[in-house]
Amino acid sequence: MQVKTKSMGVIEVDNANIISIPSGLFGFEEYTQYALIDSEYKPFVWLQSTQSAELAFLVVDPFLVCSDYEVDVDDKELAKIDIVSPAEVHVLALITIPQDGSSITANLQGPLIINRTNNKAMQAILSDSKWTTKYSILDALKKKKE
């Protein structure tokens, strides 16, 4: 599938990397189809809207930046995207890169849950107050090195 992007122009994306988010992302509910595109900065990936070249999010596997991260989502919620087995689950965290140069953060409270078998996805809200929308990636990497 050809996908228009703001920074890379029109690129070809394998259909296996096209995901559907029936309810959209919070604040962007009208955009329901996205492409996962490798970023030049590994391990980050672009979540690019196929409906608007201007709408893209940087995402990362949250388990890479937070070793004790846990995703506890009710089975009824997961059923909305037809997940029946933990093996079908792929989790990504949305990244925020502030304009003011402050810390790059990951949203661990609102992860993107993708069903690997049908490429349907949803944004979940975790009830555990341990997880925040502003988890500092740089602080976490510094702690890993220590």
Side-chain angles (χ1 to χ4, degrees):
M1 171 181 208
Q2 289 197 330
V3 177
K4 291 180 185 177
T5 71
K6 183 177 179 178
S7 61
M8 296 175 273
V10 177
I11 61 170
E12 189 67 33
V13 177
D14 188 300
N15 284 339
N17 291 329
I18 303 297
I19 63 169
S20 168
I21 308 175
S23 297
L25 297 170
F26 298 115
F28 301 92
E29 290 83 1
E30 65 272 25
Y31 301 98
T32 58
Q33 189 177 37
Y34 291 83
L36 293 170
I37 302 168
D38 286 336
S39 163
E40 61 189 81
Y41 304 105
K42 301 289 181 205
F44 300 102
V45 175
W46 286 107
L47 179 67
Q48 171 67 57
S49 169
T50 62
Q51 297 157 288
S52 171
E54 302 296 313
L55 184 62
F57 302 92
L58 206 53
V59 295
V60 70
D61 179 335
F63 301 99
L64 294 177
V65 296
C66 182
S67 59
D68 64 340
Y69 187 56
E70 297 172 0
V71 178
D72 186 18
V73 179
D74 186 84
D75 289 345
K76 288 180 185 177
E77 285 295 306
L78 294 176
K80 292 178 181 177
I81 57 171
D82 305 322
I83 289 178
V84 293
S85 162
E88 295 173 322
V89 175
H90 180 64
V91 180
L92 293 172
L94 281 80
I95 301 299
T96 300
I97 303 172
Q99 297 285 340
D100 65 5
S102 58
S103 188
I104 297 170
T105 60
N107 180 348
L108 298 186
Q109 187 178 36
L112 181 65
I113 311 291
I114 302 170
N115 182 331
R116 294 177 194 261
T117 59
N118 64 13
N119 283 6
K120 285 186 186 176
M122 63 180 282
Q123 188 174 15
I125 296 294
L126 304 183
S127 58
D128 190 336
S129 61
K130 175 179 179 180
W131 308 121
T132 176
T133 59
K134 301 287 183 194
Y135 182 83
S136 174
I137 293 175
L138 294 177
D139 289 350
L141 292 175
K142 287 177 187 174
K143 286 179 185 175
K144 269 188 173 181
K145 286 184 180 180
E146 291 173 356

